[in-house]
PDB file of all heavy atoms in Angstrom:
ATOM      1  N   THR A 185     -19.019  10.792 -15.268  1.00  0.00           N
ATOM      2  CA  THR A 185     -18.244  10.812 -16.510  1.00  0.00           C
ATOM      3  C   THR A 185     -18.434  12.080 -17.338  1.00  0.00           C
ATOM      4  O   THR A 185     -17.478  12.609 -17.890  1.00  0.00           O
ATOM      5  CB  THR A 185     -18.589   9.578 -17.364  1.00  0.00           C
ATOM      6  OG1 THR A 185     -18.547   8.446 -16.520  1.00  0.00           O
ATOM      7  CG2 THR A 185     -17.603   9.379 -18.480  1.00  0.00           C
ATOM      8  N   GLU A 186     -19.683  12.547 -17.448  1.00  0.00           N
ATOM      9  CA  GLU A 186     -19.916  13.712 -18.298  1.00  0.00           C
ATOM     10  C   GLU A 186     -20.036  15.002 -17.496  1.00  0.00           C
ATOM     11  O   GLU A 186     -20.348  16.049 -18.046  1.00  0.00           O
ATOM     12  CB  GLU A 186     -21.190  13.500 -19.133  1.00  0.00           C
ATOM     13  CG  GLU A 186     -21.109  12.337 -20.107  1.00  0.00           C
ATOM     14  CD  GLU A 186     -20.038  12.553 -21.176  1.00  0.00           C
ATOM     15  OE1 GLU A 186     -19.921  13.686 -21.672  1.00  0.00           O
ATOM     16  OE2 GLU A 186     -19.311  11.599 -21.491  1.00  0.00           O
ATOM     17  N   ASN A 187     -19.771  14.913 -16.219  1.00  0.00           N
ATOM     18  CA  ASN A 187     -19.893  16.094 -15.369  1.00  0.00           C
ATOM     19  C   ASN A 187     -18.885  17.164 -15.790  1.00  0.00           C
ATOM     20  O   ASN A 187     -17.691  16.903 -15.833  1.00  0.00           O
ATOM     21  CB  ASN A 187     -19.617  15.653 -13.922  1.00  0.00           C
ATOM     22  CG  ASN A 187     -19.859  16.753 -12.936  1.00  0.00           C
ATOM     23  OD1 ASN A 187     -19.476  17.885 -13.174  1.00  0.00           O
ATOM     24  ND2 ASN A 187     -20.493  16.424 -11.842  1.00  0.00           N
ATOM     25  N   PRO A 188     -19.352  18.387 -16.132  1.00  0.00           N
ATOM     26  CA  PRO A 188     -18.427  19.396 -16.663  1.00  0.00           C
ATOM     27  C   PRO A 188     -17.301  19.758 -15.689  1.00  0.00           C
ATOM     28  O   PRO A 188     -16.173  19.988 -16.127  1.00  0.00           O
ATOM     29  CB  PRO A 188     -19.328  20.598 -16.938  1.00  0.00           C
ATOM     30  CG  PRO A 188     -20.633  20.288 -16.332  1.00  0.00           C
ATOM     31  CD  PRO A 188     -20.744  18.822 -16.160  1.00  0.00           C
ATOM     32  N   ILE A 189     -17.605  19.808 -14.400  1.00  0.00           N
ATOM     33  CA  ILE A 189     -16.549  20.152 -13.437  1.00  0.00           C
ATOM     34  C   ILE A 189     -15.496  19.052 -13.432  1.00  0.00           C
ATOM     35  O   ILE A 189     -14.295  19.311 -13.455  1.00  0.00           O
ATOM     36  CB  ILE A 189     -17.135  20.320 -12.026  1.00  0.00           C
ATOM     37  CG1 ILE A 189     -18.229  21.370 -12.042  1.00  0.00           C
ATOM     38  CG2 ILE A 189     -16.047  20.707 -11.045  1.00  0.00           C
ATOM     39  CD1 ILE A 189     -18.999  21.465 -10.745  1.00  0.00           C
ATOM     40  N   PHE A 190     -15.984  17.808 -13.428  1.00  0.00           N
ATOM     41  CA  PHE A 190     -15.060  16.675 -13.426  1.00  0.00           C
ATOM     42  C   PHE A 190     -14.199  16.687 -14.691  1.00  0.00           C
ATOM     43  O   PHE A 190     -12.991  16.483 -14.641  1.00  0.00           O
ATOM     44  CB  PHE A 190     -15.863  15.374 -13.322  1.00  0.00           C
ATOM     45  CG  PHE A 190     -15.014  14.140 -13.353  1.00  0.00           C
ATOM     46  CD1 PHE A 190     -14.213  13.820 -12.273  1.00  0.00           C
ATOM     47  CD2 PHE A 190     -15.001  13.307 -14.454  1.00  0.00           C
ATOM     48  CE1 PHE A 190     -13.416  12.687 -12.299  1.00  0.00           C
ATOM     49  CE2 PHE A 190     -14.213  12.173 -14.492  1.00  0.00           C
ATOM     50  CZ  PHE A 190     -13.414  11.863 -13.401  1.00  0.00           C
ATOM     51  N   LEU A 191     -14.849  16.960 -15.836  1.00  0.00           N
ATOM     52  CA  LEU A 191     -14.103  16.983 -17.094  1.00  0.00           C
ATOM     53  C   LEU A 191     -13.021  18.051 -17.065  1.00  0.00           C
ATOM     54  O   LEU A 191     -11.888  17.819 -17.467  1.00  0.00           O
ATOM     55  CB  LEU A 191     -15.062  17.240 -18.263  1.00  0.00           C
ATOM     56  CG  LEU A 191     -15.933  16.071 -18.681  1.00  0.00           C
ATOM     57  CD1 LEU A 191     -16.851  16.476 -19.816  1.00  0.00           C
ATOM     58  CD2 LEU A 191     -15.079  14.892 -19.105  1.00  0.00           C
ATOM     59  N   GLN A 192     -13.387  19.235 -16.545  1.00  0.00           N
ATOM     60  CA  GLN A 192     -12.401  20.315 -16.513  1.00  0.00           C
ATOM     61  C   GLN A 192     -11.218  19.990 -15.621  1.00  0.00           C
ATOM     62  O   GLN A 192     -10.102  20.411 -15.891  1.00  0.00           O
ATOM     63  CB  GLN A 192     -13.066  21.598 -16.013  1.00  0.00           C
ATOM     64  CG  GLN A 192     -13.673  22.397 -17.133  1.00  0.00           C
ATOM     65  CD  GLN A 192     -14.095  23.764 -16.674  1.00  0.00           C
ATOM     66  OE1 GLN A 192     -13.780  24.171 -15.564  1.00  0.00           O
ATOM     67  NE2 GLN A 192     -14.817  24.460 -17.516  1.00  0.00           N
ATOM     68  N   ARG A 193     -11.469  19.250 -14.569  1.00  0.00           N
ATOM     69  CA  ARG A 193     -10.376  18.973 -13.648  1.00  0.00           C
ATOM     70  C   ARG A 193      -9.528  17.783 -14.073  1.00  0.00           C
ATOM     71  O   ARG A 193      -8.452  17.571 -13.547  1.00  0.00           O
ATOM     72  CB  ARG A 193     -10.932  18.729 -12.245  1.00  0.00           C
ATOM     73  CG  ARG A 193     -11.549  19.971 -11.668  1.00  0.00           C
ATOM     74  CD  ARG A 193     -11.362  20.049 -10.199  1.00  0.00           C
ATOM     75  NE  ARG A 193      -9.968  20.028  -9.800  1.00  0.00           N
ATOM     76  CZ  ARG A 193      -9.576  19.967  -8.546  1.00  0.00           C
ATOM     77  NH1 ARG A 193     -10.456  19.903  -7.589  1.00  0.00           N
ATOM     78  NH2 ARG A 193      -8.300  19.962  -8.249  1.00  0.00           N
ATOM     79  N   THR A 194     -10.032  16.960 -14.999  1.00  0.00           N
ATOM     80  CA  THR A 194      -9.272  15.765 -15.339  1.00  0.00           C
ATOM     81  C   THR A 194      -8.851  15.690 -16.803  1.00  0.00           C
ATOM     82  O   THR A 194      -7.831  15.096 -17.107  1.00  0.00           O
ATOM     83  CB  THR A 194     -10.076  14.496 -15.021  1.00  0.00           C
ATOM     84  OG1 THR A 194     -11.343  14.596 -15.649  1.00  0.00           O
ATOM     85  CG2 THR A 194     -10.266  14.317 -13.537  1.00  0.00           C
ATOM     86  N   LYS A 195      -9.617  16.280 -17.723  1.00  0.00           N
ATOM     87  CA  LYS A 195      -9.281  16.172 -19.151  1.00  0.00           C
ATOM     88  C   LYS A 195      -7.973  16.901 -19.426  1.00  0.00           C
ATOM     89  O   LYS A 195      -7.816  18.073 -19.088  1.00  0.00           O
ATOM     90  CB  LYS A 195     -10.398  16.791 -20.000  1.00  0.00           C
ATOM     91  CG  LYS A 195     -11.443  15.786 -20.410  1.00  0.00           C
ATOM     92  CD  LYS A 195     -11.061  15.081 -21.703  1.00  0.00           C
ATOM     93  CE  LYS A 195     -12.116  14.039 -22.041  1.00  0.00           C
ATOM     94  NZ  LYS A 195     -11.676  13.018 -22.952  1.00  0.00           N
ATOM     95  N   GLY A 196      -7.045  16.181 -20.020  1.00  0.00           N
ATOM     96  CA  GLY A 196      -5.778  16.802 -20.389  1.00  0.00           C
ATOM     97  C   GLY A 196      -4.855  17.096 -19.222  1.00  0.00           C
ATOM     98  O   GLY A 196      -3.834  17.748 -19.391  1.00  0.00           O
ATOM     99  N   LYS A 197      -5.206  16.648 -18.031  1.00  0.00           N
ATOM    100  CA  LYS A 197      -4.369  16.892 -16.856  1.00  0.00           C
ATOM    101  C   LYS A 197      -3.529  15.650 -16.563  1.00  0.00           C
ATOM    102  O   LYS A 197      -4.029  14.531 -16.624  1.00  0.00           O
ATOM    103  CB  LYS A 197      -5.243  17.235 -15.644  1.00  0.00           C
ATOM    104  CG  LYS A 197      -6.077  18.477 -15.812  1.00  0.00           C
ATOM    105  CD  LYS A 197      -5.253  19.719 -15.541  1.00  0.00           C
ATOM    106  CE  LYS A 197      -5.828  20.970 -16.185  1.00  0.00           C
ATOM    107  NZ  LYS A 197      -7.204  21.241 -15.855  1.00  0.00           N
ATOM    108  N   GLY A 198      -2.286  15.878 -16.254  1.00  0.00           N
ATOM    109  CA  GLY A 198      -1.405  14.773 -15.882  1.00  0.00           C
ATOM    110  C   GLY A 198      -1.236  13.756 -16.984  1.00  0.00           C
ATOM    111  O   GLY A 198      -1.373  12.564 -16.760  1.00  0.00           O
ATOM    112  N   VAL A 199      -0.956  14.244 -18.188  1.00  0.00           N
ATOM    113  CA  VAL A 199      -0.857  13.329 -19.331  1.00  0.00           C
ATOM    114  C   VAL A 199       0.416  12.485 -19.220  1.00  0.00           C
ATOM    115  O   VAL A 199       1.503  13.007 -18.990  1.00  0.00           O
ATOM    116  CB  VAL A 199      -0.866  14.101 -20.663  1.00  0.00           C
ATOM    117  CG1 VAL A 199      -0.754  13.145 -21.836  1.00  0.00           C
ATOM    118  CG2 VAL A 199      -2.134  14.909 -20.780  1.00  0.00           C
ATOM    119  N   LEU A 200       0.226  11.196 -19.366  1.00  0.00           N
ATOM    120  CA  LEU A 200       1.338  10.249 -19.275  1.00  0.00           C
ATOM    121  C   LEU A 200       1.469   9.572 -20.629  1.00  0.00           C
ATOM    122  O   LEU A 200       0.558   8.871 -21.052  1.00  0.00           O
ATOM    123  CB  LEU A 200       1.031   9.227 -18.173  1.00  0.00           C
ATOM    124  CG  LEU A 200       1.978   8.049 -18.018  1.00  0.00           C
ATOM    125  CD1 LEU A 200       3.314   8.524 -17.527  1.00  0.00           C
ATOM    126  CD2 LEU A 200       1.404   7.060 -17.027  1.00  0.00           C
ATOM    127  N   ASP A 201       2.582   9.824 -21.311  1.00  0.00           N
ATOM    128  CA  ASP A 201       2.733   9.163 -22.610  1.00  0.00           C
ATOM    129  C   ASP A 201       3.407   7.807 -22.437  1.00  0.00           C
ATOM    130  O   ASP A 201       3.920   7.476 -21.378  1.00  0.00           O
ATOM    131  CB  ASP A 201       3.484  10.058 -23.604  1.00  0.00           C
ATOM    132  CG  ASP A 201       4.863  10.383 -23.116  1.00  0.00           C
ATOM    133  OD1 ASP A 201       5.765   9.602 -23.387  1.00  0.00           O
ATOM    134  OD2 ASP A 201       5.033  11.420 -22.439  1.00  0.00           O
ATOM    135  N   LYS A 202       3.375   7.053 -23.533  1.00  0.00           N
ATOM    136  CA  LYS A 202       3.802   5.666 -23.498  1.00  0.00           C
ATOM    137  C   LYS A 202       5.269   5.529 -23.092  1.00  0.00           C
ATOM    138  O   LYS A 202       5.638   4.704 -22.263  1.00  0.00           O
ATOM    139  CB  LYS A 202       3.600   5.112 -24.918  1.00  0.00           C
ATOM    140  CG  LYS A 202       3.607   3.633 -25.041  1.00  0.00           C
ATOM    141  CD  LYS A 202       3.165   3.299 -26.456  1.00  0.00           C
ATOM    142  CE  LYS A 202       3.861   2.065 -26.961  1.00  0.00           C
ATOM    143  NZ  LYS A 202       3.487   1.736 -28.338  1.00  0.00           N
ATOM    144  N   LYS A 203       6.100   6.411 -23.654  1.00  0.00           N
ATOM    145  CA  LYS A 203       7.533   6.297 -23.433  1.00  0.00           C
ATOM    146  C   LYS A 203       7.882   6.570 -21.968  1.00  0.00           C
ATOM    147  O   LYS A 203       8.658   5.830 -21.352  1.00  0.00           O
ATOM    148  CB  LYS A 203       8.249   7.291 -24.352  1.00  0.00           C
ATOM    149  CG  LYS A 203       9.613   6.802 -24.751  1.00  0.00           C
ATOM    150  CD  LYS A 203      10.204   7.668 -25.825  1.00  0.00           C
ATOM    151  CE  LYS A 203      11.639   7.235 -26.055  1.00  0.00           C
ATOM    152  NZ  LYS A 203      12.352   8.187 -26.893  1.00  0.00           N
ATOM    153  N   THR A 204       7.273   7.642 -21.426  1.00  0.00           N
ATOM    154  CA  THR A 204       7.528   7.959 -20.022  1.00  0.00           C
ATOM    155  C   THR A 204       7.051   6.827 -19.133  1.00  0.00           C
ATOM    156  O   THR A 204       7.715   6.464 -18.157  1.00  0.00           O
ATOM    157  CB  THR A 204       6.780   9.252 -19.629  1.00  0.00           C
ATOM    158  OG1 THR A 204       6.829  10.159 -20.705  1.00  0.00           O
ATOM    159  CG2 THR A 204       7.371   9.875 -18.398  1.00  0.00           C
ATOM    160  N   ALA A 205       5.887   6.269 -19.474  1.00  0.00           N
ATOM    161  CA  ALA A 205       5.345   5.187 -18.658  1.00  0.00           C
ATOM    162  C   ALA A 205       6.304   4.002 -18.617  1.00  0.00           C
ATOM    163  O   ALA A 205       6.566   3.441 -17.558  1.00  0.00           O
ATOM    164  CB  ALA A 205       3.992   4.754 -19.204  1.00  0.00           C
ATOM    165  N   PHE A 206       6.872   3.653 -19.774  1.00  0.00           N
ATOM    166  CA  PHE A 206       7.849   2.562 -19.809  1.00  0.00           C
ATOM    167  C   PHE A 206       9.076   2.925 -18.984  1.00  0.00           C
ATOM    168  O   PHE A 206       9.592   2.126 -18.220  1.00  0.00           O
ATOM    169  CB  PHE A 206       8.289   2.275 -21.249  1.00  0.00           C
ATOM    170  CG  PHE A 206       7.293   1.466 -22.038  1.00  0.00           C
ATOM    171  CD1 PHE A 206       7.277   1.501 -23.413  1.00  0.00           C
ATOM    172  CD2 PHE A 206       6.378   0.656 -21.378  1.00  0.00           C
ATOM    173  CE1 PHE A 206       6.368   0.762 -24.142  1.00  0.00           C
ATOM    174  CE2 PHE A 206       5.468  -0.101 -22.092  1.00  0.00           C
ATOM    175  CZ  PHE A 206       5.462  -0.042 -23.475  1.00  0.00           C
TER     176      PHE A 206
END
Side-chain angles (χ1 to χ4, degrees):
Chain A
T185 313
E186 297 296 319
N187 186 317
I189 303 172
F190 178 71
L191 285 179
Q192 271 191 9
R193 293 214 58 186
T194 53
K195 268 273 178 200
K197 299 279 158 54
V199 180
L200 173 68
D201 61 87
K202 196 171 146 182
K203 210 170 173 191
T204 322
F206 282 157

